[in-house]
Amino acid sequence: MKITKEMKITIEVIPHLTQRYNTCGDWKIDSEGNINIKISEMPKTGPKGEMAVALHELTEVMLCILRGITQREVDEFDLTYDGNDEPGDDPEAPYCQEHSVATGIERIFASEAGIVWKNYEAELNQMTEDYNEQRR
């Protein structure tokens, strides 16, 4: 996969419970090479928080593309992950480095947008807990 002039990038904000799995941000590359990013609605931090998640996902997918990490590799890891943390934080994740860089950029953006990281993280964690409860 390579980045082309024809590539389209779509970012959509959706209800958290409609994500493919328990994540606040998800990216997929379609058969035409377009990037589709789905971000969970964030009622507390609102558009600023959603933008921070979107920036994280965009950074992560672009780095994965540049480094040859495939959608399949990421999905296989994420969809079978049974740890307590974010799948990308696991050193075994095929995209751990890309996820870490994306988190750094996300943190910088959050700071510049006036988001208190502790509150933002608490909202993301609460969304994860709510998702787990709703799926039981």
Side-chain angles (χ1 to χ4, degrees):
M1 160 100 217
K2 66 178 188 167
I3 299 170
T4 67
K5 291 181 184 178
E6 295 81 27
M7 175 189 284
K8 291 180 180 56
I9 300 169
T10 304
I11 300 172
E12 180 181 3
V13 178
I14 63 172
H16 185 61
L17 291 174
T18 63
Q19 290 282 14
R20 289 192 301 155
Y21 64 101
N22 194 359
T23 185
C24 295
D26 186 25
W27 56 264
K28 284 192 75 148
I29 301 170
D30 68 22
S31 60
E32 296 176 8
N34 298 314
I35 298 171
N36 299 291
I37 299 172
K38 296 194 187 265
I39 305 303
S40 297
E41 290 175 328
M42 298 187 66
K44 293 180 182 170
T45 53
K48 289 179 181 181
E50 294 158 2
M51 287 178 201
V53 175
L55 186 56
H56 173 106
E57 295 303 314
L58 182 60
T59 302
E60 187 176 281
V61 68
M62 291 299 218
L63 288 174
C64 284
I65 290 168
L66 291 172
R67 295 176 179 165
I69 300 166
T70 67
Q71 174 81 57
R72 178 183 216 137
E73 290 172 296
V74 173
D75 282 352
E76 284 177 0
F77 188 85
D78 283 0
L79 297 174
T80 60
Y81 185 72
D82 63 356
N84 293 325
D85 295 323
E86 185 75 23
D89 289 334
D90 188 309
E92 297 298 315
Y95 63 102
C96 181
Q97 175 66 25
E98 295 71 20
H99 173 79
S100 295
V101 171
T103 300
I105 291 170
E106 177 184 12
R107 280 179 168 270
I108 292 167
F109 176 85
S111 176
E112 290 298 313
I115 296 170
V116 176
W117 188 261
K118 179 178 76 172
N119 297 342
Y120 173 73
E121 218 170 24
E123 181 175 14
L124 296 174
N125 290 336
Q126 185 62 56
M127 292 167 71
T128 298
E129 289 175 28
D130 292 348
Y131 187 98
N132 288 336
E133 283 183 22
Q134 292 286 333
R135 298 292 179 182
R136 285 185 186 150

